[in-house]
Amino acid sequence: MSKYTIISKRSQIGNNVRIGNYCIIHDDVIIHDNVEIEDYCTIGYPTPSADGLPLVISNNSHIRSYSLLYQGSVFGENLKTGHRIMVREKTIAGKDLQIGSFCDIEGHSEIGHHVRLHSNVHIGQKSKIHNFVWIYPYVVLTNDPHPPSEGFIEGPEIFDYSVLATMSCILPGVKVGRHALVAAHSLVNRDVKENTVVAGVPAKYLCETKDILLRDGSGSAYPWTHHFHRGYPDSIISEWKKGYYDFEV
Amino acid sequence: MSKYTIISKRSQIGNNVRIGNYCIIHDDVIIHDNVEIEDYCTIGYPTPSADGLPLVISNNSHIRSYSLLYQGSVFGENLKTGHRIMVREKTIAGKDLQIGSFCDIEGHSEIGHHVRLHSNVHIGQKSKIHNFVWIYPYVVLTNDPHPPSEGFIEGPEIFDYSVLATMSCILPGVKVGRHALVAAHSLVNRDVKENTVVAGVPAKYLCETKDILLRDGSGSAYPWTHHFHRGYPDSIISEWKKGYYDFEV
Amino acid sequence: MSKYTIISKRSQIGNNVRIGNYCIIHDDVIIHDNVEIEDYCTIGYPTPSADGLPLVISNNSHIRSYSLLYQGSVFGENLKTGHRIMVREKTIAGKDLQIGSFCDIEGHSEIGHHVRLHSNVHIGQKSKIHNFVWIYPYVVLTNDPHPPSEGFIEGPEIFDYSVLATMSCILPGVKVGRHALVAAHSLVNRDVKENTVVAGVPAKYLCETKDILLRDGSGSAYPWTHHFHRGYPDSIISEWKKGYYDFEV
């Protein structure tokens, strides 16, 4: 039984939902089944910017402690978060999303399926992240081409299977192509071609991703789907093994 | 009515002040009128470094949830914060300050009027920020020229209307001139002249700010006061329209 | 007396331990004597990855508010933390560790004695930090050479007395030698020799640390042990004065 928790009677809470201590569940919240919400969380933080839309947390999700989710976002099933995350309104996310501790998702963005955000990722508004993308700590997706502006906001677009390594910054409107790799501590100010590696400030073409070798001599490190399978369902892995990347997820 | 909140009888709380749930209001706190303090906030965290000075929150302020404000800082009216901010003692800030979520203001600093700090800005001690400055996510203002030192601490000084873009680092004692722009992901190790743009690691002169054009072909993006007015009062905008930048604020 | 706090009867709590409000003390926790735990802390957050090991907080420690410590880590005496820190399981740390606000220590790491981590430091798993190391805000220690991988995780190793300045990123497996200095905003992708300074993206040799002079003309800024003594015990300072750096700590 949770202690010192405040739950609105207007919230809709499914079966087998566990809510921790010191939580606040606001009005405009739909929580589906088999969900765990840990201590000190704020669920469905109200904002007029949500236009009255509820927060939707789907089946089999796990929100870790001290997290803050605004009203007006929708998450697919199997959401897993770290601690102290923050997600603002109108974030529309697919299934199997992982959000690391201290992430700041500013809302008004689209996130695909099976995306992995490590700790302290900052997703500016109007970002678009496709499926199977990996984003590492302290990466920032920006949206303002000549700050401060207003009518010119344009987020980056990060395509399937691409990887943004630690402390990189992606400038407004930049497109990072499929299976691309942005090296750590890069500033990406122009589009990145698929299957390529860019690095530096500003980031320049370094090589093809296939030229990066695994340290054990077993071959190329990319596409990472060749050797990294942790946490993905067998149905997806078997597609990858056949060399398919565009199946329905 | 707030639940599970702890309010010291020694605190001074004005009219029309709303305090959320799970808050702690400590002794040395002066909250003026029409203030909202959201859930899980700590207001007036005690520290001997404050020399007994109170925290002052002025009229029409809004502190969002999970925020932590130390004893011994003073904010002008109309302070707006994001969530989970932290401000230590002896921060002296003007009116209409915005502090984004996860900001870490280390205290012993001066901040002018109408300053905008986005998420995750780190303001080291002894920083001086003038009026109408914009600082973007993950910018760090440092203060130690050869760490760790002690008697040599000197913060940066950021002058009126300048803009520090995402993930830039400003080194100790560096002065960023009026209307200047520090590009994203820059390391600024020498003074930046007014009306100029610097970029890179280390940052070098790139161009005059007026050479940066708005994407819609309507002219120069800077001074940003020509086209960006959101949230500023009409009295200020009308001065800008006349080309005045040094009026009383 | 703490209010609204939840303390497991299975936890072991020593003498003169002060626990704040809204705290949760879980089962597998050993807190020794003269410890202060501030408000909103989670102590001993349970995880199967801890293999049943307890969290150990030793004598004379101080955990500031909103902090989260997992089960399965061990800290030597005199731990001091900032606010909102997070330390995951299997972090083995020596005595006199300081952890700044917003730090994210991902666990499965070793940290020596007298280490200083400022705000927002990210310590990836498998990191090894020796004694008297200083790490500044927004530094990231990474561990994945070609992300995402799994069997290839290797943390950096940071040797005694070295200093990592603000916003630097240390790549997997990199060794930073004794008394070395990594300049601000650097990307370190190869080993750093002792007593040297590296800077840039990627970081290159800049000079010997002894070539960096204190601003008051009193001599070299490094080794910093020559002039910076704040917070260290006299027994250690007297060793440094004799030019000894390898004594038992």
Side-chain angles (χ1 to χ4, degrees):
Chain A
M1 291 291 85
S2 57
K3 296 185 72 174
Y4 312 119
T5 274
I6 301 167
I7 301 180
S8 163
K9 286 178 179 151
R10 291 189 50 198
S11 64
Q12 299 175 46
I13 299 181
N15 295 313
N16 193 27
V17 171
R18 204 178 80 78
I19 296 173
N21 308 295
Y22 315 104
C23 286
I24 302 175
I25 313 293
H26 285 280
D27 292 355
D28 294 306
V29 167
I30 300 171
I31 302 176
H32 288 281
D33 300 339
N34 305 312
V35 169
E36 178 168 2
I37 292 169
E38 293 187 354
D39 310 312
Y40 307 99
C41 284
T42 302
I43 303 298
Y45 175 90
T47 175
S49 306
D51 298 328
L53 294 169
L55 169 68
V56 179
I57 298 176
S58 301
N59 290 341
N60 304 315
S61 293
H62 187 170
I63 313 295
R64 285 197 174 77
S65 58
Y66 302 93
S67 289
L68 166 65
L69 303 182
Y70 276 49
Q71 168 190 2
S73 283
V74 179
F75 296 94
E77 60 182 27
N78 210 28
L79 170 69
K80 310 290 181 198
T81 85
H83 308 273
R84 259 185 259 281
I85 72 151
M86 166 175 162
V87 182
R88 287 182 50 191
E89 74 281 358
K90 298 198 174 172
T91 301
I92 308 302
K95 62 188 172 190
D96 192 32
L97 171 63
Q98 294 181 8
I99 304 177
S101 297
F102 296 97
C103 276
D104 180 358
I105 300 180
E106 295 269 302
H108 303 270
S109 286
E110 291 174 54
I111 301 176
H113 301 291
H114 306 289
V115 168
R116 303 283 184 265
L117 309 178
H118 278 242
S119 305
N120 262 293
V121 170
H122 180 99
I123 307 291
Q125 295 188 355
K126 308 267 183 182
S127 296
K128 187 164 185 185
I129 300 171
H130 290 259
N131 301 324
F132 297 106
V133 168
W134 287 72
I135 305 185
Y136 282 85
Y138 288 93
V139 167
V140 178
L141 271 56
T142 67
N143 61 21
D144 193 345
H146 25 58
S149 76
E150 195 167 4
F152 303 93
I153 298 301
E154 183 186 18
E157 186 166 5
I158 314 298
F159 285 89
D160 292 357
Y161 300 100
S162 60
V163 176
L164 311 181
T166 299
M167 286 197 114
S168 287
C169 176
I170 315 296
L171 290 188
V174 165
K175 295 180 195 314
V176 176
R178 284 163 59 97
H179 295 285
L181 171 63
V182 172
H185 221 288
S186 299
L187 172 70
V188 185
N189 63 0
R190 63 179 84 175
D191 291 352
V192 179
K193 285 193 181 148
E194 59 181 28
N195 301 304
T196 65
V197 184
V198 299
V201 181
K204 292 177 181 158
Y205 172 84
L206 195 69
C207 62
E208 301 294 301
T209 53
K210 69 178 163 49
D211 297 334
I212 298 183
L213 301 179
L214 287 168
R215 293 191 174 186
D216 65 356
S218 66
S220 179
Y222 298 93
W224 55 263
T225 49
H226 284 186
H227 61 92
F228 185 86
H229 300 144
R230 190 182 61 191
Y232 295 107
D234 287 343
S235 59
I236 285 175
I237 297 167
S238 69
E239 296 292 322
W240 290 344
K241 286 191 170 164
K242 288 182 279 185
Y244 297 160
Y245 292 104
D246 289 313
F247 46 87
E248 191 70 39
V249 286
Chain B
M1 292 289 85
S2 57
K3 296 184 72 172
Y4 312 120
T5 274
I6 301 168
I7 301 179
S8 164
K9 287 179 179 150
R10 291 189 50 199
S11 64
Q12 299 175 45
I13 299 181
N15 295 313
N16 192 27
V17 171
R18 204 179 78 80
I19 297 174
N21 308 294
Y22 316 105
C23 286
I24 302 176
I25 313 294
H26 286 280
D27 293 356
D28 294 305
V29 167
I30 300 171
I31 302 176
H32 289 281
D33 300 339
N34 305 313
V35 169
E36 178 168 3
I37 292 170
E38 294 188 353
D39 309 311
Y40 308 99
C41 284
T42 302
I43 303 298
Y45 176 90
T47 175
S49 305
D51 298 328
L53 294 169
L55 169 67
V56 179
I57 298 176
S58 301
N59 290 341
N60 305 315
S61 293
H62 187 170
I63 313 296
R64 284 197 173 75
S65 58
Y66 302 94
S67 290
L68 167 65
L69 303 183
Y70 274 51
Q71 167 189 4
S73 284
V74 178
F75 296 94
E77 59 183 29
N78 208 28
L79 170 68
K80 310 290 182 199
T81 86
H83 308 273
R84 262 186 256 282
I85 73 151
M86 165 175 163
V87 182
R88 287 182 51 190
E89 74 280 0
K90 297 197 174 172
T91 301
I92 308 302
K95 61 188 172 191
D96 192 32
L97 171 62
Q98 293 181 9
I99 303 177
S101 297
F102 296 97
C103 275
D104 181 357
I105 300 179
E106 295 269 301
H108 303 269
S109 286
E110 291 173 55
I111 301 176
H113 301 291
H114 306 289
V115 168
R116 303 283 184 265
L117 309 178
H118 278 242
S119 304
N120 263 291
V121 170
H122 180 99
I123 306 291
Q125 295 188 354
K126 307 266 182 184
S127 296
K128 186 163 185 185
I129 299 171
H130 291 258
N131 301 324
F132 298 105
V133 168
W134 287 73
I135 305 186
Y136 281 85
Y138 288 94
V139 167
V140 178
L141 271 57
T142 68
N143 59 21
D144 193 344
H146 25 58
S149 76
E150 195 167 3
F152 303 94
I153 298 301
E154 182 186 16
E157 185 166 3
I158 314 298
F159 286 88
D160 292 356
Y161 299 99
S162 59
V163 176
L164 311 181
T166 299
M167 288 198 112
S168 287
C169 177
I170 315 296
L171 290 187
V174 165
K175 295 182 195 313
V176 176
R178 284 163 58 97
H179 295 284
L181 171 63
V182 172
H185 221 289
S186 300
L187 173 70
V188 185
N189 64 359
R190 65 179 80 174
D191 292 352
V192 178
K193 284 193 183 148
E194 59 181 26
N195 301 305
T196 66
V197 184
V198 300
V201 181
K204 291 176 182 158
Y205 172 84
L206 194 69
C207 61
E208 301 294 303
T209 52
K210 68 177 163 48
D211 297 335
I212 298 183
L213 302 179
L214 287 169
R215 293 191 173 187
D216 64 355
S218 66
S220 178
Y222 298 93
W224 55 262
T225 49
H226 284 186
H227 60 93
F228 185 86
H229 299 144
R230 189 183 61 192
Y232 295 107
D234 286 343
S235 59
I236 286 174
I237 297 167
S238 69
E239 297 293 321
W240 290 343
K241 285 192 172 166
K242 289 182 277 183
Y244 297 161
Y245 291 104
D246 289 313
F247 46 88
E248 191 69 38
V249 285
Chain C
M1 292 287 83
S2 57
K3 295 185 73 173
Y4 312 119
T5 273
I6 301 167
I7 301 180
S8 163
K9 286 179 178 150
R10 291 189 51 199
S11 63
Q12 300 175 46
I13 299 180
N15 295 314
N16 192 28
V17 171
R18 202 179 81 79
I19 297 174
N21 308 295
Y22 316 104
C23 286
I24 301 175
I25 313 293
H26 285 279
D27 292 356
D28 294 305
V29 167
I30 300 172
I31 302 175
H32 288 281
D33 301 339
N34 305 314
V35 169
E36 178 168 2
I37 292 171
E38 294 187 351
D39 309 312
Y40 308 99
C41 284
T42 301
I43 303 298
Y45 175 90
T47 174
S49 306
D51 298 328
L53 295 170
L55 169 68
V56 179
I57 298 176
S58 301
N59 291 341
N60 305 316
S61 293
H62 186 171
I63 313 295
R64 284 197 175 76
S65 58
Y66 303 93
S67 288
L68 166 65
L69 303 182
Y70 275 51
Q71 167 190 4
S73 284
V74 178
F75 296 93
E77 59 183 28
N78 208 29
L79 170 68
K80 310 290 182 200
T81 85
H83 307 273
R84 262 186 255 283
I85 73 151
M86 166 175 163
V87 183
R88 286 183 50 190
E89 73 279 359
K90 297 198 174 172
T91 301
I92 308 302
K95 62 188 173 192
D96 191 32
L97 171 61
Q98 293 180 9
I99 303 177
S101 298
F102 297 98
C103 275
D104 180 358
I105 301 179
E106 295 269 300
H108 303 270
S109 287
E110 292 174 54
I111 301 175
H113 301 291
H114 305 290
V115 169
R116 303 283 183 265
L117 309 177
H118 278 241
S119 304
N120 262 292
V121 170
H122 180 99
I123 307 291
Q125 295 189 354
K126 307 268 184 183
S127 297
K128 188 163 185 185
I129 300 170
H130 291 260
N131 301 325
F132 297 105
V133 168
W134 287 72
I135 306 186
Y136 282 85
Y138 288 93
V139 167
V140 177
L141 271 56
T142 68
N143 61 20
D144 193 344
H146 25 57
S149 75
E150 195 167 4
F152 303 93
I153 298 301
E154 183 186 17
E157 185 165 5
I158 314 298
F159 286 88
D160 293 356
Y161 299 99
S162 60
V163 176
L164 311 181
T166 299
M167 287 196 113
S168 287
C169 176
I170 315 296
L171 290 188
V174 165
K175 295 181 195 314
V176 176
R178 284 163 59 96
H179 295 284
L181 171 63
V182 172
H185 221 289
S186 299
L187 172 71
V188 185
N189 63 359
R190 63 179 82 174
D191 291 353
V192 178
K193 285 194 181 149
E194 59 181 30
N195 300 305
T196 65
V197 184
V198 300
V201 181
K204 291 178 182 158
Y205 172 84
L206 195 69
C207 61
E208 301 295 301
T209 52
K210 68 177 164 49
D211 298 334
I212 297 183
L213 302 179
L214 287 169
R215 294 192 172 187
D216 64 355
S218 66
S220 178
Y222 298 93
W224 55 262
T225 50
H226 284 186
H227 61 93
F228 185 87
H229 299 143
R230 189 183 61 192
Y232 295 106
D234 286 343
S235 59
I236 285 175
I237 297 168
S238 68
E239 296 294 320
W240 291 343
K241 286 192 170 165
K242 288 181 279 184
Y244 297 161
Y245 291 104
D246 288 312
F247 46 88
E248 190 70 39
V249 285

